[in-house]
Amino acid sequence: MASATFFTHYAPYIFHKIDSLSFLATFRNSPYSYPPPRGKRPLHLDAHGGGFIGGIPEDSAPLCSQIAESTGAVVVSVTYRFAPLRPFPCAHDDIADVFLWLLDHATEEFGADTEIVTISGISAGGNLVLGGTLGAKDARGRNIVKGAVTFYSPVDLRLPPQEKRKPRGWPSFDPLWFMLPLFDSYAGPGRIRNIEDPRLHPTLASLADLPADMLFVIPTIDFLMYEQLDMVERLQKEAVEEAKKGASYHNSRRIEKLVFEGQWHGWLELPSWAIDESTRRKAFISACDFLGDVHRKNGFDINELASEKKIV
């Protein structure tokens, strides 16, 4: 059933690809060079989900296509190494490597503006883009990543899956109980050693190291719900205190959540016949609108770009 679900939903993106594939020669511990001159369009980095143990960039093709079309951003969807063969920090290092490569090369290669960078990720991908870009600053000490949208992403892996608090409506018998140890194979082996690492646990990250604008898309039938709600609540409180100190418009923060009652982890990745399609439309449109607001806040408006094309 899982294979059929994947095939029916993503076959159009596999057999009629509208994207391009690039193998990036990234190197860990390479000297960091500051971003090149401004390009024309915002740069958006997305990481697919898969419980840290699988998945492909095509998993996120519907979302990435919509972001590119509606916001005008250059969208890069990245893959990474998987557990259990490659536990933390391998996947986070992969995201960080691609991120640094993009800062150095995305303007020349893709015509992207590396001063307007946003990120997104579904499930594990959300954890990876937050952790892999955490605390990245430009030459003036400003956060490079301006905005983020995550979809039912784990933000606190200090507890194994079976010990997480279950929400109301959670089934008395979890049909995927036998998969839980595998889902824990990325964070589990080094849990004690990495218990305070905010890259693995974004909920521990300081407000100053996170994007100024963040949207969390959260279904209610998901044992990741509470950790996301807790992170949103904490960040909103800290943002209010920061605002009291007189933050400017460009330094102001927008921390929001979009909660979907009765939906479950992974519902956005299922075919239309298996879900209420209006919920997916709402989630994706809300994400695109949010990212478009981030772009405008930082000086790019796709509507103005369209107007310029008409004049030309």
Side-chain angles (χ1 to χ4, degrees):
M1 176 61 74
S3 298
T5 295
F6 171 85
F7 183 83
T8 56
H9 191 53
Y10 298 109
Y13 295 92
I14 296 175
F15 295 109
H16 180 64
K17 294 174 70 65
I18 60 174
D19 57 342
S20 61
L21 176 65
S22 298
F23 293 95
L24 309 182
T26 61
F27 300 92
R28 291 216 56 73
N29 301 320
S30 62
Y32 174 75
S33 58
Y34 288 109
R38 293 173 65 88
K40 294 182 179 180
R41 296 174 180 269
L43 173 64
H44 184 84
L45 176 64
D46 179 86
H48 64 78
F52 301 103
I53 60 174
I56 57 175
E58 283 81 2
D59 293 349
S60 299
L63 171 64
C64 290
S65 297
Q66 191 163 336
I67 291 173
E69 292 172 5
S70 64
T71 72
V74 174
V75 179
V76 177
S77 182
V78 63
T79 192
Y80 43 86
R81 289 171 291 175
F82 303 134
L85 186 61
R86 295 289 184 263
F88 177 81
C90 291
H92 285 78
D93 287 346
D94 292 343
I95 300 298
D97 284 344
V98 172
F99 177 61
L100 292 177
W101 186 93
L102 288 170
L103 294 180
D104 283 340
H105 300 284
T107 297
E108 178 182 357
E109 295 287 337
F110 310 125
D113 186 343
T114 55
E115 290 191 14
I116 308 178
V117 181
T118 54
I119 57 176
S120 66
I122 291 178
S123 190
N127 176 288
L128 291 171
V129 293
L130 289 177
T133 64
L134 185 66
K137 310 289 184 183
D138 64 16
R140 288 169 283 185
R142 303 174 305 178
N143 280 349
I144 294 175
V145 179
K146 309 303 184 185
V149 179
T150 63
F151 302 84
Y152 40 81
S153 295
V155 294
D156 189 348
L157 294 170
R158 289 175 293 179
L159 290 177
Q162 58 269 28
E163 294 183 20
K164 290 182 180 288
R165 185 163 43 134
K166 306 303 187 293
R168 178 174 52 85
W170 189 258
S172 56
F173 175 76
D174 185 350
L176 294 179
W177 64 270
F178 62 94
M179 292 286 290
L180 296 182
L182 185 58
F183 290 147
D184 196 39
S185 62
Y186 184 68
R191 175 165 285 112
I192 301 301
R193 181 174 63 254
N194 302 309
I195 200 70
E196 296 182 358
D197 193 330
R199 292 182 303 160
L200 184 58
H201 318 292
T203 193
L204 300 179
S206 69
L207 185 69
D209 285 337
L210 290 166
D213 300 317
M214 302 181 70
L215 173 64
F216 297 76
V217 178
I218 307 172
T220 58
I221 305 179
D222 185 1
F223 61 59
L224 303 178
M225 179 184 73
Y226 289 115
E227 62 196 67
Q228 295 171 86
L229 293 177
D230 289 345
M231 183 173 178
V232 171
E233 182 180 8
R234 192 263 293 181
L235 294 180
Q236 287 177 334
K237 289 180 178 178
E238 292 183 5
V240 169
E241 293 302 315
E242 184 181 74
K244 291 178 180 178
K245 299 177 182 178
S248 65
Y249 170 70
H250 287 285
N251 292 326
S252 63
R253 296 186 182 274
R254 179 182 174 191
I255 312 295
E256 297 183 359
K257 64 179 184 290
L258 180 60
V259 177
F260 284 87
E261 294 288 341
Q263 302 303 322
W264 57 93
H265 189 100
W267 104 96
L268 292 174
E269 300 154 88
L270 296 176
S272 298
W273 54 262
I275 65 169
D276 179 354
E277 181 61 29
S278 67
T279 60
R280 175 160 44 219
R281 288 196 299 270
K282 180 179 179 180
F284 284 4
I285 290 173
S286 298
C288 291
D289 288 347
F290 187 89
L291 293 170
D293 289 344
V294 175
H295 295 161
R296 283 185 287 275
K297 177 181 176 181
N298 290 279
F300 175 86
D301 190 334
I302 188 173
N303 296 319
E304 293 180 1
L305 186 66
S307 299
E308 291 176 4
K309 287 185 176 180
K310 290 180 181 179
I311 294 174
V312 173

